[in-house]
Amino acid sequence: MIEIRDIHKTFGHNLVLKGVDLKVDKGEVVVIVGPSGSGKTTLLRCINFLERADAGEISIGDTHVAFRQATARQVSTIRKQTAMVFQNYNLFNNMTALGNVMEGLVTARKVPKKEAEAVSRAVLDQVGLADKCDAYPSQLSGGQQQRVGIARALALNPEVILFDEPTSALDPELVGEVLSVMKAVARKHITMVVVTHEMSFALEIASRVIFMDGGVVVEEGAPQEIFLRPKEERTRQFLRRILPETDYTI
């Protein structure tokens, strides 16, 4: 289980997160939606300390730390329990697909190379890239690169995988292949927190949808509740823009 309490984050004079609480049970797929600038990505980056929050606490499994006071060892412990899939892939261009997946296992987890290679080949096969192990990022499509990113996350066997708008950098025809892999991951009951604008994915796969705006959680609930029967006017305004065929007359 993951629990975040009262997280705040400021960049300069811009208060991006204003006391957000988030609880994710093991095996849940929580999808976070909202307009640009609402704090969604910052929340993900704070969870695994790519950004250090100014206040708040986080618990993952048996590990509990305060964001502000977390030691280097505590940060390392949290990071070992999380993995992140970035919107722009973040692959090493000088490494093959296999090398990219192995890197975290060998460098961060100190897994022997032979074992790391076996794990990496298995997860590349899982995302449909068994025949691309020796290909470099420049030889892969955007969808294939993102699937390497997902394989890299899976190889680490984390408590939770964080997805930061994983399809936003893709050409439209490549979005489907990445979403298919994510759906397969979700069906394995791997805990996922996903920031996305893919509402059909959220409706089909999410255990729970969270709508954020202005650095706070405005509303959360089951996908059908949020998309079909939202309670908050701000949620309805957002959905009218992205789902214009829907008429909310609440």
Side-chain angles (χ1 to χ4, degrees):
M1 185 190 75
I2 303 155
E3 188 170 1
I4 295 145
R5 292 179 290 278
D6 198 29
I7 183 172
H8 290 73
K9 178 62 181 176
T10 301
F11 293 102
H13 298 293
N14 185 20
L15 184 55
V16 178
L17 297 175
K18 305 173 183 177
V20 173
D21 296 325
L22 175 65
K23 185 177 179 180
V24 183
D25 290 328
K26 188 174 182 63
E28 251 195 318
V29 178
V30 173
V31 173
I32 304 176
V33 301
S36 297
S38 59
K40 308 182 300 294
T41 291
T42 299
L43 177 61
L44 288 193
R45 292 177 65 84
C46 286
I47 289 174
N48 69 348
F49 284 86
L50 289 175
E51 301 284 353
R52 186 179 284 260
D54 302 318
E57 302 174 335
I58 182 170
S59 299
I60 300 182
D62 296 327
T63 305
H64 174 82
V65 301
F67 284 107
R68 185 74 172 178
Q69 291 81 29
T71 65
R73 178 173 291 182
Q74 288 174 321
V75 170
S76 177
T77 299
I78 291 289
R79 285 179 174 165
K80 285 179 180 178
Q81 297 180 82
T82 66
M84 193 150 178
V85 177
F86 300 90
Q87 57 181 298
N88 291 317
Y89 325 136
N90 281 27
L91 301 181
F92 295 105
N93 290 324
N94 63 334
M95 292 184 181
T96 63
L98 181 63
N100 269 281
V101 177
M102 287 178 60
E103 180 65 15
L105 291 171
V106 173
T107 303
R109 301 290 176 86
K110 308 302 180 185
V111 176
K113 284 189 175 181
K114 188 173 182 179
E115 180 182 342
E117 181 176 346
V119 170
S120 300
R121 288 186 182 277
V123 292
L124 282 166
D125 181 46
Q126 187 176 330
V127 301
L129 293 175
D131 61 336
K132 299 294 184 182
C133 287
D134 296 327
Y136 288 88
S138 62
Q139 298 170 314
L140 301 173
S141 70
Q144 290 170 333
Q145 290 184 63
Q146 191 59 290
R147 283 190 279 155
V148 172
I150 295 172
R152 178 175 57 188
L154 288 170
L156 297 173
N157 193 28
E159 290 291 327
V160 57
I161 301 179
L162 310 171
F163 292 82
D164 181 20
E165 299 193 22
T167 61
S168 65
L170 298 177
D171 292 334
E173 65 269 21
L174 300 178
V175 169
E177 67 183 67
V178 173
L179 292 180
S180 293
V181 169
M182 292 175 64
K183 290 174 185 178
V185 173
R187 285 191 288 269
K188 292 179 178 292
H189 304 292
I190 294 171
T191 309
M192 300 164 62
V193 180
V194 184
V195 169
T196 186
H197 293 294
E198 299 292 339
M199 299 302 156
S200 60
F201 169 85
L203 188 60
E204 180 181 351
I205 296 298
S207 311
R208 186 156 40 98
V209 172
I210 293 174
F211 172 62
M212 286 185 66
D213 188 34
V216 300
V217 173
V218 176
E219 186 170 358
E220 65 176 286
Q224 294 82 359
E225 293 174 357
I226 298 299
F227 293 130
L228 303 178
R229 297 179 295 276
K231 296 180 176 67
E232 300 296 329
E233 176 59 27
R234 181 65 189 94
T235 311
R236 295 196 289 270
Q237 290 173 354
F238 173 74
L239 292 174
R240 284 191 193 103
R241 288 201 297 270
I242 61 172
L243 303 171
E245 70 279 5
T246 304
D247 182 24
Y248 297 106
T249 55
I250 300 172

